[in-house]
Amino acid sequence: ELCMEFQVYDYESHVFEVLGPPSEAGYISFIPQSDGKMTIKRKWFVENAELRKETIIGNQAIAFEDIERHVKTMTSGGTRRLSPFRRKRFDVHMESLKTGHIFGIYFDICRIVGDEHSVMSQCEVEYCRSRTFFDLSDVYEEFELIAAHAEAFLVEHGVSFQRNLYSKLDFVRGHFLTRAA
C-alpha cells in the first residue's frame, strides 16, 4: 500500500472486557497517545472468530484517570478492567493490484505491564479494506493466499507457531484470571 508498506508501533493498551449482553460483548481498550489524547479501540465478539466488528477512534480528549468512568458510557453491558499490556507491532501492508483488497501481516510482541514474564508473540494476517467497486467475494481467496505466504515465511525462518484465533483479549484475560486465583 503506497507509503504504508511497513509501519512500526509501540504503545500501551488498557483493556476493559465487555461481559454482555452478546450484542455488546467483546472489549474496549484505551491507548494513550504521545500528545495526551487517547485512542479508543473497540471489538465486538462473543467468541474468537475470523470476522469481528471493530472501530478505532483516535484523538479523543479523555484523561487517563477518566477511562474507567468513560468506558461505562460506551456500553450497557458490564465491564471488567483487565491487565494493561504494552504492544510492539510491526506491520507489513499489501494491496492486490488485481482486486484492490488491502491486507496486513502484523507481527506483535505483547507484554503485561509490570510482569516481564507474561509475553505473547503473534503474527496476524488481516483483511483491512478494499479500494474497488467489484464484488468482494474473492477476499477469502486472497486472504488464504496471504496467510499461506506468512506461514511459509515462518517455516522458512524456523519459527514454530500454531494457527489459531487466540486474541489479545485471551492473553490479558488469562493473566487476569491467573493473578486473581
Side-chain angles (χ1 to χ4, degrees):
E1 191 174 9
L2 208 53
C3 299
M4 294 178 63
E5 300 89 358
F6 185 74
Q7 299 172 339
V8 178
Y9 297 92
D10 184 355
Y11 57 86
E12 281 189 4
S13 189
H14 299 266
V15 181
F16 294 82
E17 182 175 16
V18 180
L19 302 167
S23 62
E24 292 286 311
Y27 72 85
I28 299 169
S29 66
F30 293 84
I31 302 164
Q33 297 176 186
S34 60
D35 61 2
K37 293 187 178 179
M38 195 72 65
T39 294
I40 302 172
K41 179 178 181 177
R42 179 153 188 198
K43 285 194 177 183
W44 288 263
F45 60 99
V46 175
E47 60 187 32
N48 291 334
E50 292 280 345
L51 300 176
R52 295 178 288 181
K53 180 181 174 186
E54 173 182 294
T55 61
I56 300 174
I57 305 166
N59 301 314
Q60 300 300 296
I62 301 168
F64 181 77
E65 54 274 1
D66 294 333
I67 62 174
E68 194 141 7
R69 189 172 33 247
H70 188 77
V71 78
K72 293 179 186 334
T73 69
M74 297 179 65
T75 179
S76 61
T79 60
R80 171 171 62 178
R81 189 173 193 157
L82 300 176
S83 304
F85 67 94
R86 183 168 199 95
R87 181 180 188 187
K88 288 188 180 181
R89 190 173 109 186
F90 305 87
D91 296 1
V92 180
H93 287 104
M94 58 209 74
E95 180 175 355
S96 169
L97 295 175
K98 178 182 173 187
T99 64
H101 303 320
I102 299 167
F103 298 90
I105 300 176
Y106 308 132
F107 296 91
D108 286 322
I109 302 168
C110 298
R111 290 181 169 88
I112 298 294
V113 172
D115 181 356
E116 68 277 357
H117 300 293
S118 294
V119 179
M120 177 185 73
S121 298
Q122 189 177 46
C123 174
E124 290 182 284
V125 177
E126 189 173 292
Y127 163 75
C128 300
R129 62 191 166 282
S130 294
R131 278 196 272 226
T132 184
F133 290 114
F134 297 113
D135 183 16
L136 298 180
S137 62
D138 50 5
V139 167
Y140 291 107
E141 180 182 325
E142 286 189 341
F143 175 86
E144 288 301 327
L145 180 71
I146 291 169
H149 177 73
E151 285 183 3
F153 175 84
L154 294 172
V155 168
E156 179 183 333
H157 288 86
V159 177
S160 62
F161 65 92
Q162 294 176 335
R163 186 174 183 174
N164 59 37
L165 298 173
Y166 190 78
S167 68
K168 285 163 222 39
L169 178 59
D170 293 327
F171 173 60
V172 295
R173 185 191 293 136
H175 181 267
F176 176 84
L177 295 173
T178 302
R179 195 183 67 191

